[in-house]
Amino acid sequence: MSNRSEVNQVRKWFTSHVADNGQKYTLDYHQAAIIADTHQNCLVTARAGSGKTRTIVAKIIYLIAHERVKPAEIIVFAFNRKARAEINARLTKITIDGKPLFTDAPDIATTFHAFAFHLLDDGNLKKRLISEDFSNRLTVAALKKILYQTRERLDEKQFNQLATAATQFIVRAEQLYFADYNKLYEEINVSDNLRLQLYYRILLAHHNYLTKHNLLNFNQMLVQASQKLQAQTENLPYKYIFIDEYQDFSLLFLTLVQALRAKCPDSHLLAVGDDWQAINGFAGSDVRYFQHFEDYFPENHIKLFIPTNYRSGRLIVRNANYFMANGLDDYQGCRAGNKVSSYIHLVNLKTLRLPPKVYAPKKSYFIEQTFSVIQAIAKRHPGRSIKILTRNNELNSIDWDINFFYDRLAERLGSDISRFSFSTIHRSKGLEADVVILLEIDAGQFPKPPKPDEISSIFNETYESRLADEERLFYVALTRAKEELYILTSTPPETYNQLDPAKPNFLCLLNPDWLDEFKF
């Protein structure tokens, strides 16, 4: 680890020489420590709102401008195209002593899929690569054919649920068993589970179709990219490899990175992420690569931490820490860098009564409550951005999807709806708003009671691991707000502290002393 003097020299160099869109590029001590570090393998835990992307960009700036590393010797793997574009765009705004760091838009950040595409592209790859939608249609077609052959009858809802489960199975099987599907077949046969056998048949039908028509999906493209790297004899120029959102790493990504490093053996690896925000296990990610970093990258490794949340107000940060300490028994939480006196407001729709002038028939009372609360929140925070988050696209309590809910709310709010944005919690990761409203934080709904099923059994998931996934998802929801957070629930107050494994409740893991009860 760099000593304090080296870290402070880095901070001073940035404030003296670097500007971001005309403003001095300041770093806190922990961010600067990552810039100064020279270990070959470095894992950075960057909690929500701690300036993760800022730190990655700063490391690139320092390597190029101070250490004279060539841009072509650095590669950053971002999680998606949006993150890739953001990193490259930020670099275009950087000046060193008044001169642009880049005269042309840089292409340092990429994605795993874009890297694989570039490595494999022979001029025909784009035509061979299928979309996610096309892949889903293949799954549906295979399922229909198998059900017809077995004469099994399902209604539309049952069919859709089965198709969704099959899709998830294929994605995860491709991530974990890409090197040996026979091993997966053996495990399924041992389990003697008919649903798993059905999913496996769909997987084979899916892959047989792609093979027959010389097509590829995205996971297969990653596999072939790893194989090409392993086969080639020449080394690659990369001296620094960065991985953003490392908590969402998978075996497939690991295989590609290891193949890449074998072609640049002296390269330094910087992996940055937050294990408290590991929420993509359903898509094949595995948080163990983060939690046991040293097992996969043991040479000259170090673990560093960026602990300050600059996004959310103090009470939001404190309660999010309290929640994770009680839920995951993990005490390595955040500091609050945003000094605003924020609040978490608990809105219990079981006990909340509408204002006297507002009437609603019994059948629509719950909907009227929800809309009245949202209108009151909008009135309390004029001019503020407001984000409404849900666990799923469907609202369980009123049997509406989020788009229909948005349209009905827009009718009530008029032009004020422009301040609102809507998202599932999964899709909100990396986003923020001044005010955040969480809908349906109800025992038995969010968190969903983890139940054993075919997919969890074959991928070695437990009740505890699946509940931990839900806890990390709730942490993401808690930390999107900058100023105020409103939690809407229909869980009876007398059951807040009841621990029922069949109906888990996250409200009991929050500190009641830091909650403000909402009233009209």
Side-chain angles (χ1 to χ4, degrees):
M1 182 182 293
S2 304
N3 61 43
R4 183 169 291 274
S5 174
E6 292 171 331
V7 174
N8 285 331
Q9 285 176 19
V10 168
R11 298 180 74 186
K12 184 178 179 180
W13 182 83
F14 269 87
T15 55
S16 300
H17 299 284
V18 184
D20 180 3
N21 209 22
Q23 302 296 315
K24 285 185 177 181
Y25 206 109
T26 57
L27 297 167
D28 69 24
Y29 182 87
H30 294 90
Q31 292 168 341
I34 281 95
I35 315 306
D37 183 71
T38 58
H39 283 78
Q40 187 170 6
N41 295 296
C42 178
L43 173 68
V44 176
T45 300
R47 294 288 186 235
S50 63
K52 171 177 65 68
T53 304
R54 182 178 182 81
T55 305
I56 290 173
V57 170
K59 184 86 173 181
I60 298 169
I61 295 167
Y62 192 75
L63 289 172
I64 294 173
H66 189 272
E67 300 297 312
R68 304 306 177 192
V69 176
K70 297 175 183 177
E73 295 172 332
I74 305 171
I75 186 168
V76 180
F77 289 106
F79 186 66
N80 54 35
R81 285 178 291 181
K82 182 179 178 182
R84 167 194 183 179
E86 181 183 359
I87 292 170
N88 288 329
R90 287 197 188 191
L91 288 168
T92 63
K93 300 175 183 178
I94 299 300
T95 56
I96 309 295
D97 296 326
K99 298 180 180 179
L101 181 63
F102 290 95
T103 53
D104 298 315
D107 195 24
I108 288 177
T110 185
T111 65
F112 284 110
H113 291 109
F115 174 81
F117 184 92
H118 178 75
L119 190 68
L120 297 173
D121 190 19
D122 56 1
N124 195 44
L125 182 59
K126 189 173 183 180
K127 297 177 182 177
R128 296 176 55 215
L129 194 61
I130 68 168
S131 67
E132 183 179 336
D133 181 62
F134 187 88
S135 180
N136 291 339
R137 294 203 303 270
L138 286 179
T139 300
V140 168
L143 176 58
K144 286 182 177 178
K145 184 176 180 180
I146 293 170
L147 292 177
Y148 176 79
Q149 291 170 343
T150 59
R151 301 183 184 277
E152 184 176 352
R153 295 182 179 275
L154 300 176
D155 62 30
E156 183 179 359
K157 184 176 180 180
Q158 291 171 323
F159 181 88
N160 290 337
Q161 289 174 340
L162 200 56
T164 299
T167 299
Q168 292 178 354
F169 174 86
I170 290 172
V171 169
R172 301 188 67 177
E174 288 180 335
Q175 290 274 353
L176 289 172
Y177 291 91
F178 57 88
D180 188 3
Y181 285 118
N182 288 329
K183 183 179 178 182
L184 175 60
Y185 177 74
E186 291 169 4
E187 292 184 17
I188 288 174
N189 269 359
V190 169
S191 72
D192 198 29
N193 187 294
L194 294 179
R195 277 289 181 244
L196 283 177
Q197 291 174 10
L198 170 65
Y199 299 152
Y200 188 78
R201 288 181 65 186
I202 295 171
L203 170 67
L204 286 186
H206 189 280
H207 280 233
N208 288 340
Y209 181 92
L210 297 184
T211 301
K212 180 180 178 180
H213 295 278
N214 194 28
L215 299 173
L216 281 177
N217 65 25
F218 287 100
N219 285 334
Q220 291 170 330
M221 182 175 67
L222 292 177
V223 173
Q224 291 194 10
S226 298
Q227 292 169 343
K228 183 171 182 178
L229 283 172
Q230 290 163 0
Q232 74 179 42
T233 55
E234 66 274 16
N235 281 345
L236 292 171
Y238 303 117
K239 292 182 179 178
Y240 292 89
I241 300 170
F242 296 3
I243 303 173
D244 191 14
E245 302 290 3
Y246 181 70
Q247 75 281 345
D248 293 323
F249 212 53
S250 70
L251 178 59
L252 197 50
F253 293 153
L254 175 67
T255 303
L256 182 61
V257 169
Q258 288 177 332
L260 173 61
R261 292 196 84 186
K263 303 307 171 187
C264 38
D266 297 326
S267 62
H268 290 250
L269 175 70
L270 177 69
V272 186
D274 182 5
D275 55 330
W276 281 11
Q277 297 186 73
I279 59 174
N280 289 314
F282 68 94
S285 300
D286 195 330
V287 73
R288 67 176 171 165
Y289 296 109
F290 192 105
Q291 295 170 338
H292 302 285
F293 176 78
E294 64 280 5
D295 292 343
Y296 304 98
F297 304 103
E299 303 85 9
N300 188 225
H301 71 275
I302 191 172
K303 295 181 178 181
L304 299 176
F305 188 43
I306 313 178
T308 306
N309 181 332
Y310 293 101
R311 174 193 298 141
S312 304
R314 285 174 292 176
L315 283 181
I316 292 175
V317 173
R318 288 170 67 186
N319 226 332
N321 289 343
Y322 184 91
F323 172 78
M324 295 301 278
N326 281 283
L328 287 183
D329 196 26
D330 189 339
Y331 293 87
Q332 195 178 28
C334 296
R335 301 173 184 172
N338 183 345
K339 301 305 180 184
V340 63
S341 297
S342 59
Y343 289 95
I344 297 180
H345 309 271
L346 188 60
V347 187
N348 194 301
L349 300 175
K350 282 285 185 184
T351 59
L352 188 70
R353 294 289 172 262
L354 288 170
K357 295 181 181 179
V358 178
Y359 168 77
K362 188 174 182 179
K363 190 174 181 180
S364 61
Y365 191 83
F366 177 83
I367 297 171
E368 188 62 45
Q369 276 181 311
T370 304
F371 282 162
S372 294
V373 167
I374 293 172
Q375 286 179 288
I377 292 170
K379 189 175 181 179
R380 289 182 182 187
H381 305 288
R384 295 291 190 264
S385 62
I386 301 174
K387 184 175 290 293
I388 295 179
L389 299 180
T390 60
R391 175 63 177 81
N392 304 303
N393 283 313
E394 304 292 328
L395 295 169
N396 298 296
S397 49
I398 52 180
D399 199 28
W400 290 357
D401 66 30
I402 195 63
N403 293 322
F404 189 81
F405 182 89
Y406 174 86
D407 291 340
R408 301 292 80 73
L409 182 62
E411 293 172 0
R412 302 283 290 269
L413 292 174
S415 61
D416 207 28
I417 194 67
S418 62
R419 293 197 286 133
F420 283 75
S421 59
F422 291 72
S423 174
T424 62
I425 300 171
H426 271 105
R427 292 177 179 170
S428 75
K429 190 172 174 300
L431 304 179
E432 61 184 32
D434 298 325
V435 179
V436 169
I437 303 171
L438 307 183
L439 298 185
E440 296 190 327
I441 308 302
D442 302 329
Q445 294 293 339
F446 185 29
K448 290 183 176 179
K451 296 178 181 178
D453 57 26
E454 302 87 4
I455 293 180
S456 64
S457 65
I458 200 66
F459 296 122
N460 299 317
E461 292 179 338
T462 63
Y463 174 92
E464 289 75 17
S465 67
R466 298 185 81 181
L467 183 60
D469 287 345
E470 292 284 288
E471 288 168 343
R472 288 190 285 264
L473 187 62
F474 191 56
Y475 172 78
V476 169
L478 291 175
T479 52
R480 299 308 94 197
K482 294 195 285 187
E483 298 176 7
E484 306 288 328
L485 175 66
Y486 291 83
I487 300 176
L488 275 63
T489 182
S490 295
T491 301
E494 64 272 14
T495 67
Y496 283 174
N497 293 316
Q498 291 180 8
L499 300 178
D500 182 357
K503 208 173 185 180
N505 171 25
F506 281 163
L507 297 177
C508 67
L509 300 179
L510 295 171
N511 190 325
D513 295 334
W514 299 335
L515 295 176
D516 172 65
E517 185 178 356
F518 176 90
K519 295 179 181 178
F520 283 114

